[in-house]
Amino acid sequence: MALPEEFLARMRSMLGEDFERFKDALSGPNYRALRRNLIKTESVLSLKKLTFLGEKTAFCDDAFYIPCDEKGVGNHPLHHAGAFYMQEPSATAVVEALGVDEGDIVLDLCAAPGGKSTQAASKLNGAGLLVSNEFVSSRVKPLLSNIERMGIVNAVVLSLRPDIIAEKCPETFDKIIVDAPCSGEGMFRKESAAIENWSVENVKACADRQLKILESAAKMLKKGGKMVYSTCTYSAEENEGVIEKFLRSHNDFHLVKPLKDFGEPAFGKFAPSVENIEFARRIFNFNGGEGHFVAVMQRDGDDDSVILTLEPDVYDNKSNDLKIFAEFFKENFYGDVPRNAISHNGFVYIIPADISKLGLKPVSCGILAGVVKGNRFAPEHSMFNNMKYKPKSVLRLMSDGEKVQKFLHGEEIDCDSTLKGYVQVLCDGVPLGYGKASNGTLKNHYPKGLRTL
């Protein structure tokens, strides 16, 4: 792998005697890992059929190395079911360092393709709220797909500039993730484009953009809240340099220790004015990951105010669409009809928060439960692909069986003749999708865009 000489010279100056370790690691295989989805799996035993699963990483207790040459992981039935997320090992350190608690209101400001968002949602465990923002419109679709696949019901997806959100949401969030767009030096072994696009000028341009994003994030963080700033690059300008500039103009913020120890301390020589700069952490390729910088900052003060009402009681008893949905729910699911269901042009959504009062137009909010067609309700994939709503009829498939492969292909499959109507399909106990059963046959409703070839 041919790297720019200027980049290597900068790394040699940064690392000193550790440069040879860094250079040697560059010639080795890149690291790969998967992270267990806590929402859909009860324990690591849920992944016991993944024979390629290796040792736990140093960055996250639910992330495990897999061989760099392992093929077909993305087509494994448990991946389709959202039992795990493929994530670069050091990237899993970010959410672990920040700490997310059930009930938190969390913002992921630069969210696509969704690794850190889905990890944060896994910590929320269905409580609280996740707001995932991705400004680049072409990257929103994979973000939406991953949020649905992982069975997340309490997420709002936005596609707005950070400063626009900041205008609408001052001091709103308990936790903020800023995984800022960067020069991607930690991606050199994975993406040749990162090498081709590298230059010192681009590094400096990234640093300027990152500082602006942090400025917006600071306005949205509650007093007493925490935010994590991360990049997948090594340059001092984009890491310690950005932190130093930010803290110099925000004396109500300070660095705190990450909740999990990993990697190496950040370099004080690049941020001489920052107290406790060693609390920020660096991960190099000789630390078991491709490369990350992680800095957790807390805002001074205390704020118990509630800006957003979670799981609002907005059910409209006069809506014919919602009456039809309610009858469908009672017939097919256990428990009470969700009170936070809303109808819009025949589409029924179950929303985790009423964000309309903030003046934000979301790409998605909660889950699309289905569509009212005449006097009947046609459910959508999301309604059956989560752990919150419990269907009355279930078909259990094994991840190593022939039937699950047929289901993923979009084929009809045999089922117990006692099953009637809408049926949730489970893969090793993990929600995968649904079908409609009649006379011992399950008509396939797995989305065409997700099916295997």
Side-chain angles (χ1 to χ4, degrees):
M1 178 172 55
L3 295 175
E5 286 300 324
E6 192 168 8
F7 165 74
L8 292 173
R10 285 160 58 90
M11 293 304 297
R12 185 180 289 108
S13 174
M14 175 187 292
L15 291 171
E17 60 184 22
D18 281 331
F19 176 72
E20 291 304 319
R21 292 175 66 196
F22 173 79
K23 192 174 180 181
D24 290 343
L26 284 174
S27 61
N30 62 287
Y31 292 102
R32 295 177 71 198
L34 61 79
R35 174 180 50 77
R36 179 173 71 92
N37 181 11
L38 306 182
I39 298 173
K40 283 193 168 184
T41 60
E42 293 183 357
S43 71
V44 177
L45 291 176
S46 304
L47 305 181
K48 63 183 179 181
K49 291 184 181 178
L50 302 180
T51 57
F52 50 81
L53 207 64
E55 294 183 357
K56 183 170 65 176
T57 75
F59 314 111
C60 173
D61 288 342
D62 294 295
F64 302 86
Y65 289 110
I66 64 172
C68 69
D69 56 353
E70 186 68 35
K71 307 293 185 183
V73 181
N75 273 331
H76 195 284
L78 285 174
H79 183 267
H80 277 268
F84 63 86
Y85 187 99
M86 298 292 295
Q87 196 167 5
E88 191 276 310
S90 59
T92 65
V94 177
V95 172
E96 298 297 314
L98 173 65
V100 172
D101 301 313
E102 289 189 21
D104 278 344
I105 299 176
V106 181
L107 169 65
D108 186 356
L109 201 48
C110 313
K116 296 172 181 68
S117 274
T118 57
Q119 189 174 0
S122 155
K123 303 288 186 182
L124 289 173
N125 194 30
L129 180 70
L130 170 70
V131 177
S132 296
N133 179 66
E134 177 51 53
F135 173 62
V136 182
S137 58
S138 62
R139 290 166 57 84
V140 173
K141 187 175 180 179
L143 173 62
L144 289 167
S145 178
N146 281 319
I147 285 175
E148 180 182 61
R149 180 172 63 88
M150 304 299 272
I152 299 165
V153 300
N154 58 328
V156 173
V157 175
L158 305 175
S159 184
L160 297 168
R161 290 202 324 262
D163 60 310
I164 297 298
I165 307 174
E167 289 177 11
K168 307 289 187 180
C169 304
E171 299 186 8
T172 300
F173 298 97
D174 301 301
K175 307 283 171 61
I176 297 179
I177 303 164
V178 182
D179 185 47
C182 67
S183 59
E185 295 169 351
M187 295 293 103
F188 280 178
R189 290 199 294 183
K190 294 178 62 179
E191 299 177 8
S192 58
I195 301 174
E196 296 167 4
N197 295 330
W198 186 89
S199 68
V200 173
E201 291 74 19
N202 186 44
V203 165
K204 293 178 179 178
C206 286
D208 291 340
R209 181 170 62 239
Q210 291 152 358
L211 187 58
K212 290 178 182 177
I213 295 173
L214 264 185
E215 294 283 351
S216 294
K219 296 174 183 176
M220 293 184 272
L221 188 67
K222 286 183 178 180
K223 291 181 175 67
K226 290 182 180 179
M227 70 178 180
V228 60
Y229 171 77
S230 66
T231 71
C232 60
T233 202
Y234 299 123
S235 74
E237 294 95 329
E238 297 176 75
N239 295 324
E240 290 93 344
V242 167
I243 294 299
E244 183 173 47
K245 289 177 180 177
F246 174 79
L247 291 177
R248 191 183 296 152
S249 59
H250 294 80
N251 56 15
D252 57 336
F253 281 78
H254 61 278
L255 284 169
V256 295
K257 284 185 177 181
L259 293 183
K260 190 171 181 64
D261 189 30
F262 53 83
E264 315 279 338
F267 293 111
K269 62 183 178 181
F270 297 129
S273 68
V274 176
E275 186 177 359
N276 297 321
I277 186 60
E278 70 278 3
F279 288 172
R281 308 298 293 181
R282 279 179 168 271
I283 301 169
F284 292 99
N285 54 16
F286 50 77
N287 295 129
E290 291 302 301
H292 249 73
F293 176 86
V294 182
V296 182
M297 292 173 282
Q298 185 164 20
R299 188 175 184 183
D300 297 337
D302 191 20
D303 183 1
D304 294 326
S305 63
V306 177
I307 305 295
L308 287 170
T309 302
L310 301 183
E311 294 220 353
D313 187 355
V314 295
Y315 197 86
D316 181 2
N317 291 320
K318 296 180 181 179
S319 167
N320 187 57
D321 289 346
L322 291 184
K323 288 178 182 177
I324 294 172
F325 166 68
E327 289 305 312
F328 164 84
F329 191 92
K330 291 173 185 176
E331 181 179 348
N332 292 280
F333 288 82
Y334 294 109
D336 297 331
V337 177
R339 300 293 303 175
N340 51 323
I342 63 171
S343 175
H344 179 69
N345 294 332
F347 293 89
V348 176
Y349 301 86
I350 305 176
I351 64 172
D354 185 2
I355 67 166
S356 60
K357 66 179 66 176
L358 299 178
L360 296 172
K361 185 177 181 180
V363 177
S364 75
C365 183
I367 66 170
L368 173 59
V371 186
V372 175
K373 298 181 177 180
N375 289 318
R376 70 180 184 88
F377 185 79
E380 289 287 331
H381 178 67
S382 295
M383 194 68 215
F384 289 88
N385 192 41
N386 65 80
M387 298 290 285
K388 182 168 184 177
Y389 304 109
K390 306 296 184 184
K392 293 179 179 178
S393 296
V394 171
L395 175 62
R396 299 179 183 276
L397 304 180
M398 298 293 104
S399 63
D400 52 1
E402 183 181 352
K403 281 189 178 181
V404 76
Q405 295 296 342
K406 287 184 176 181
F407 182 77
L408 291 174
H409 288 163
E411 301 174 31
E412 292 185 351
I413 57 176
D414 296 336
C415 65
D416 193 307
S417 59
T418 61
L419 290 175
K420 305 291 183 184
Y422 291 110
V423 177
Q424 182 185 50
V425 177
L426 301 179
C427 174
D428 292 350
V430 181
L432 177 61
Y434 79 105
K436 196 169 186 180
S438 177
N439 299 320
T441 299
L442 187 80
K443 183 178 180 180
N444 201 313
H445 282 268
Y446 195 61
K448 292 181 179 179
L450 301 179
R451 294 175 184 178
T452 56
L453 298 176

